[in-house]
Amino acid sequence: MTTFDTNIFESLESEVRSYSRGWPAVFESASGSWIRDENGRDYLDFFAGAGSLNYGHNNPVLKSALVDYIVGDGITHGLDMSTVAKRELLETFEDKILKPRGLDYKVQFPGPTGTNTVEAALKLARKVTGRSSIINFTNAFHGMTLGALSVTGNSMKRAGAGIPLVHATPMPFDNYFDGVTEDFHWFSRVLDDSGSGLNRPAAVIVETVQGEGGVNVARPEWLRALADLCAERDILLIVDDVQMGCGRTGPFFSFEIAGITPDIVCLSKSIGGYGLPMALTLFKRELDVWGPGEHNGTFRGNNPSFVTSKVALDHYWSDDTLHKSTLAKGDKIHQAFTDLANQFEGSVSTRGRGLVQGLVFDEPEKAGKVCALAFDEGLLAETSGPSDEVVKLLPALTITDEELDHGLAILTDATSKVCS
């Protein structure tokens, strides 16, 4: 490597880059739950592409189907044209995901990313209801384009917009007041008070677990109460399942635990299976009021993603094996984090669901120190939360118990060094 090659990231790439600063390595290859740098050092991945790699890096089942498709000159770029790959995905999604759960959703392909599906959901809700206002929640994260950013809570990310972010009103997420105040008291009061000044919203958008917000977990009863409140007041309920869907919390959809049926659901990240860009917006049939081409995007028809998504659904969602495995592995992480919380009582706590788990530090800077020490020992883990006070784990759902134990041992040692 020349000096120029080594520094090309700093000399040519924008200062906006983020993850490369915390993980100073040049990565070259990856397989399963491991990623290797150009010097041959292996790192255990507890990040999984920010939740885009639920089935691991270069999953062999998905890779085989993808290679066969490419070698066979399958359609790559298809806009919203009908293709064999799209047909097979839709048939599989209906048979393996929607019908078993009693869901009768239409499927929209809005574009390749999570923010695309959120933008589509917000536009559709406004078009259906004729209202402009959206209710979002404290510490929410829904994307970086202007509409999605308007319903995001993080002040640093919002500041990057450069213009006022309007037509959205934040409400307290579950347990925002630490159980002291009933979360829905303010929300329901202002909705029903003609003097509150709150415009009746088109929709409420919510994450069942706030990943970027700090692994904040909504209780099933809170989600049910939210769904009831929306239904009673003719407000659409949007669940952003971009990071928590596709099995991250156990069931395919994270809202299944609450027994609710959202009006609109946003999917991206791991819906493509292989880490290829893909997003879906699901909505009840009566909400499908789009005109042809009214919402579109050049890369909404990424057919290689359709291929890997279809195979992932067939392979992992034909039974409940992955669901049960995810819950069991989540329990393993929770136990390890509970032991740390007991060991460092008052300075460390834990929260999470399934295979999204957080280790929360009362002194926020310690979370970053733990992640830095873990990287030095060959483990990738990120921080989240408004002050980056949470070590957030998003390992592949296919990670082995041995790999999980190895990574947890590294994190336990790092936490002990930082907190002792």
Side-chain angles (χ1 to χ4, degrees):
M1 295 285 288
T2 66
T3 301
F4 178 76
D5 288 334
T6 301
N7 294 326
I8 192 67
F9 305 107
E10 292 185 5
S11 67
L12 192 59
E13 189 179 3
S14 168
E15 293 299 315
V16 78
R17 65 191 187 280
S18 173
Y19 290 111
S20 59
R21 299 179 188 275
W23 299 330
V26 179
F27 298 105
E28 187 174 40
S29 61
S31 178
S33 289
W34 294 89
I35 184 168
R36 177 172 292 183
D37 70 17
E38 61 182 350
N39 297 315
R41 185 180 186 192
D42 291 323
Y43 296 80
L44 183 59
D45 187 0
F46 271 17
F47 173 64
S52 296
L53 296 164
N54 282 4
Y55 312 111
H57 294 272
N58 288 301
N59 183 295
V61 177
L62 311 187
K63 178 167 63 176
S64 177
L66 178 61
V67 169
D68 288 346
Y69 184 76
I70 293 172
V71 170
D73 289 336
I75 299 293
T76 296
H77 183 275
L79 294 161
D80 68 357
M81 296 183 292
S82 298
T83 65
V84 171
K86 183 194 283 188
R87 179 176 63 201
E88 292 181 350
L89 169 60
L90 287 170
E91 290 171 345
T92 302
F93 191 73
E94 184 175 42
D95 291 343
K96 297 296 172 65
I97 303 301
L98 297 181
K99 284 185 176 179
R101 292 162 180 79
L103 298 173
D104 187 24
Y105 287 138
K106 295 292 289 291
V107 179
Q108 179 180 354
F109 297 88
T113 72
T115 201
N116 291 129
T117 180
V118 170
E119 293 285 356
L122 298 179
K123 284 174 66 174
L124 181 61
R126 287 167 170 147
K127 181 177 175 63
V128 168
T129 64
R131 308 177 209 134
S132 60
S133 177
I134 305 290
I135 298 295
N136 60 300
F137 290 96
T138 50
N139 291 315
F141 179 79
H142 295 289
M144 298 295 280
T145 50
L146 290 180
L149 199 56
S150 72
V151 291
T152 288
N154 186 285
S155 60
M156 181 272 289
K157 293 181 172 65
R158 289 175 63 88
I163 62 171
L165 297 170
V166 297
H167 305 305
T169 303
M171 291 291 171
F173 190 73
D174 191 15
N175 206 38
Y176 185 72
F177 295 110
D178 298 320
V180 175
T181 303
E182 176 54 46
D183 298 288
F184 279 113
H185 179 71
W186 168 251
F187 189 10
S188 58
R189 176 69 181 270
V190 296
L191 278 174
D192 297 334
D193 183 357
S194 61
S196 70
L198 179 72
N199 294 325
R200 183 162 294 276
V204 171
I205 185 167
V206 67
E207 304 154 274
T208 67
V209 180
Q210 295 180 327
E212 295 301 310
V215 194
N216 304 310
V217 182
R219 294 165 296 160
E221 55 268 31
W222 186 87
L223 292 169
R224 285 193 290 271
L226 177 61
D228 289 344
L229 181 148
C230 289
E232 290 165 1
R233 292 164 175 80
D234 191 30
I235 301 168
L236 297 179
L237 176 61
I238 304 169
V239 168
D240 179 346
D241 237 1
V242 167
Q243 188 170 78
M244 297 305 152
C246 303
R248 174 55 55 183
T249 67
F252 186 85
F253 295 110
S254 70
F255 57 80
E256 292 182 54
I257 189 173
I260 63 175
T261 302
D263 297 292
I264 306 175
V265 181
C266 300
L267 291 176
S268 186
K269 290 191 182 284
S270 280
I271 189 60
Y274 199 72
L276 297 175
M278 177 178 162
L280 301 178
T281 309
L282 315 178
F283 39 83
K284 293 179 178 178
R285 287 184 174 272
E286 62 270 23
L287 303 181
D288 193 9
V289 297
W290 290 119
E294 191 173 6
H295 184 91
N296 57 32
T298 303
F299 293 100
R300 65 192 184 277
N302 185 9
N303 280 250
S305 298
F306 300 164
V307 171
T308 51
S309 178
K310 184 251 192 240
V311 174
L313 297 177
D314 275 333
H315 191 76
Y316 291 104
W317 295 101
S318 292
D319 57 31
D320 62 358
T321 301
L322 184 66
H323 178 170
K324 291 180 177 178
S325 171
T326 297
L327 294 179
K329 291 169 184 174
D331 288 343
K332 180 186 285 284
I333 299 175
H334 177 72
Q335 185 57 58
F337 281 3
T338 298
D339 291 343
L340 285 171
N342 291 335
Q343 183 178 351
F344 301 105
E345 187 174 0
S347 60
V348 178
S349 59
T350 184
R351 55 183 180 245
R353 176 177 290 153
L355 277 177
V356 51
Q357 296 287 335
L359 191 63
V360 188
F361 291 83
D362 282 5
E363 298 177 52
E365 69 277 4
K366 289 185 176 180
K369 292 178 180 179
V370 167
C371 286
L373 286 175
F375 177 81
D376 291 340
E377 296 302 318
L379 180 72
L380 303 186
E382 69 166 337
T383 59
S384 72
S387 302
D388 284 322
E389 73 277 17
V390 181
V391 175
K392 181 178 72 171
L393 302 194
L394 293 170
L397 309 186
T398 54
I399 193 170
T400 67
D401 285 333
E402 292 76 18
E403 290 167 338
L404 203 53
D405 288 339
H406 175 68
L408 288 173
I410 292 174
L411 282 174
T412 296
D413 184 58
T415 302
S416 296
K417 288 178 179 177
V418 168
C419 292
S420 296

